């Protein structure tokens, strides 16, 4: 057995895929989630994939008493922290809710960890912390926190800074800040995928809704950007590759703060994603070009060289793999 891990937000999209990889690698995993944006059925699906059903706590990070009870009863080796609100647009409308949930919840988690002697945490951060940069290729040495366009991104930045300060105050803490780019795809079994409870914020869940007939067409936010086809370009990473990045990080934890980009290094435009989905499905995806969204950058992508050199991790799955697995997930869901 490789150790016991607590995964916050472990029934969510990225969290559930990471739990599968952890279980398959021999880790003992427990999940804490309030099910705000996920479903309890995910636990059964994890069991079907891995043959193991993780212990589950339905709890909220804002509930310090519940957190202390969990940490008092179990000795964890590490925490992987996914839990948080993540809709960019909603964060602009409800900034206080985002700051309270994401920042206060993380402070509660860190305090409870510290009091119970758990000093290793991997944090699910985001490329949004880079803000607007002169170069669209983001490297870990770039400054963060400048020109952040939404409260969601600022919560990620603030949490990173809080964790850095904690490591300065308590040198025993080992913190990994993993900055994601754009996760897409699904588990190849078809049992796990991106299935938000509310209105989706990311591109692929909206594509999926159009494909299922739940939405008439996809809105493409602007086609007059200074890119090769006029639409925004992003670094899309298959969620299984992303989950494996956390596994690689667990093997390289060290005192202080470690920072890594998790991305492919190869951006794709919105129109390229649409074309890849049409190729995989054999069907046309209806779309219309609508007004630009405030704050959307024309393009940015990860420089993943540091993760490759230090973690021996790099993406292995392609955009075509992500489309095939997404369609498999849609097909599986339609049969439920």
């Amino acid at each position: 057995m490789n150790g016991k891990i607590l995964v916050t937000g472990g029934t969510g999209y990225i969290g559930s895929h990471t739990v599968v990889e952890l279980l398959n690698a021999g880790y003992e995993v427990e999940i804490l989630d309030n099910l705000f944006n996920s479903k309890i059925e995910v636990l059964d699906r994890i069991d079907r994939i891995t043959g193991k059903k993780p212990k589950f706590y339905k709890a909220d990070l804002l509930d310090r008493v519940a957190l202390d009870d969990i940490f008092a009863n179990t000795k964890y080796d590490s925490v992987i922290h996914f839990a948080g609100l993540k809709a960019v647009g909603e964060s602009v409308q409800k900034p206080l809710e985002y700051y309270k949930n994401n920042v206060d919840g993380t402070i509660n988690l860190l305090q409870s960890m510290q009091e119970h002697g758990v000093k290793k945490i991997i944090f699910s951060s985001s490329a949004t912390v880079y803000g607007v940069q002169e170069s669209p290729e983001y490297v870990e040495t770039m400054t963060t926190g400048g020109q952040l366009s939404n409260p969601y991104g600022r919560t990620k930045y603030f949490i990173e800074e809080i964790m850095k300060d904690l490591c300065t105050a308590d040198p025993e803490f080992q913190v990994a800040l993993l900055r994601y780019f754009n996760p897409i795809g699904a588990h190849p079994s078809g049992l796990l995928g991106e299935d938000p409870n509310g209105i989706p914020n990311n591109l692929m869940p909206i594509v999926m809704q159009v494909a299922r007939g739940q939405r008439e067409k996809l809105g493409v936010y602007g086609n007059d950007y200074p890119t090769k086809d006029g639409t925004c370009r992003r670094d899309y990473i298959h969620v299984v590759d992303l989950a494996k990045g956390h596994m690689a990080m667990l093997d390289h934890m060290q005192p202080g703060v470690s920072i890594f980009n998790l991305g492919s290094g190869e951006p794709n435009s919105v129109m390229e994603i649409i074309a890849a989905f049409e190729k995989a499905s054999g069907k046309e995806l209806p779309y219309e070009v609508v007004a630009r969204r405030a704050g959307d950058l024309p393009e940015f992508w990860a420089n993943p060289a540091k993760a490759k050199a230090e973690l021996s991790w790099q993406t292995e799955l392609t955009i075509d793999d992500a489309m095939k697995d997404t369609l498999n997930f849609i097909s599986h869901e339609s049969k439920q």
Side-chain angles (χ1 to χ4, degrees):
M1 193 61 68
N2 290 325
K4 184 170 283 190
I5 315 291
L6 179 67
V7 181
T8 75
T11 53
Y13 175 44
I14 305 169
S16 61
H17 286 81
T18 302
V19 167
V20 165
E21 296 301 321
L22 289 167
L23 290 171
N24 283 338
Y27 287 93
E28 193 175 345
V29 181
E30 297 188 355
I31 293 173
L32 181 157
D33 204 305
N34 64 3
L35 299 177
F36 177 77
N37 198 33
S38 60
K39 298 174 175 67
I40 193 68
E41 293 80 18
V42 166
L43 295 174
D44 291 326
R45 296 180 178 212
I46 291 171
D47 186 12
R48 286 171 64 185
I49 294 168
T50 66
K52 303 169 188 172
K53 192 168 185 177
K55 186 171 183 178
F56 176 74
Y57 301 98
K58 187 177 187 300
D60 196 295
L61 293 180
L62 295 177
D63 185 347
R64 182 61 197 279
V65 174
L67 271 179
D68 283 336
D69 283 346
I70 292 167
F71 279 99
N73 290 317
T74 307
K75 177 63 177 173
Y76 298 104
D77 296 284
S78 306
V79 173
I80 304 181
H81 179 31
F82 295 103
L85 299 174
K86 64 172 190 174
V88 170
E90 185 183 58
S91 78
V92 176
Q93 305 300 322
K94 301 177 179 179
L96 297 181
E97 194 173 317
Y98 270 67
Y99 289 124
K100 182 172 182 62
N101 187 85
N102 293 6
V103 180
D104 287 3
T106 301
I107 290 172
N108 281 345
L109 176 64
L110 293 170
Q111 285 178 327
S112 204
M113 287 175 62
Q114 189 172 42
E115 288 181 16
H116 294 90
V118 183
K119 300 291 182 80
K120 293 182 185 178
I121 184 167
I122 296 175
F123 175 53
S124 165
S125 192
S126 167
T128 58
V129 301
Y130 290 112
V132 179
Q133 300 284 347
E134 288 186 10
S135 166
E137 184 178 62
Y138 291 176
V139 294
E140 291 88 347
T141 52
M142 285 175 166
T143 58
T144 55
Q147 299 187 62
L148 300 182
S149 60
N150 58 78
Y152 162 75
R154 280 188 279 275
T155 67
K156 293 292 189 184
Y157 169 68
F158 292 154
I159 291 168
E160 283 199 2
E161 294 302 299
I162 288 165
M163 289 183 171
K164 290 175 187 176
D165 289 340
L166 176 59
C167 286
T168 300
D170 186 344
E172 291 183 358
F173 253 92
Q174 301 180 28
V175 168
L177 307 176
L178 300 185
R179 294 172 179 164
Y180 308 163
F181 283 69
N182 292 69
I184 60 171
H187 194 270
S189 65
L191 291 169
L192 295 176
E194 190 164 13
D195 190 19
N197 288 340
I199 298 170
N201 180 61
N202 300 328
L203 175 61
M204 279 308 296
I206 297 173
V207 168
M208 289 162 65
Q209 287 188 350
V210 175
R212 287 170 173 152
Q214 296 168 279
R215 186 185 288 248
E216 185 182 345
K217 52 194 166 184
L218 173 72
V220 176
Y221 295 104
N223 65 350
D224 56 351
Y225 284 95
T227 60
K228 58 185 176 182
D229 62 22
T231 63
C232 291
R233 300 171 79 216
R234 296 290 182 264
D235 187 335
Y236 294 96
I237 172 175
H238 196 297
V239 67
V240 172
D241 277 335
L242 183 57
K244 289 178 178 176
H246 295 77
M247 297 283 300
M249 190 68 243
L250 275 174
D251 292 333
H252 290 81
M253 296 295 286
Q254 57 188 13
V257 180
S258 303
I259 302 171
F260 291 94
N261 287 336
L262 294 185
S264 71
E266 299 287 338
N268 289 93
S269 71
V270 175
M271 294 310 299
E272 286 173 333
I273 293 294
I274 291 172
F277 192 85
E278 290 181 336
K279 176 186 169 187
S281 66
K283 297 177 183 176
E284 195 171 311
L285 193 73
Y287 71 89
E288 67 172 335
V289 177
V290 296
R292 289 185 178 191
R293 284 188 303 197
D296 269 350
L297 299 176
E299 57 185 1
F300 61 85
W301 60 89
N303 180 326
K306 185 182 178 188
K308 183 178 181 181
E310 296 185 27
L311 304 182
S312 300
W313 173 90
Q314 62 184 344
T315 57
E316 298 173 349
L317 299 166
T318 65
I319 294 295
D320 288 339
D321 291 325
M323 297 304 151
K324 173 173 62 78
D325 292 336
T326 297
L327 284 162
N328 190 24
F329 176 64
I330 292 173
S331 173
H332 189 277
E333 290 299 283
S334 67
K335 295 171 186 172
Q336 295 296 304

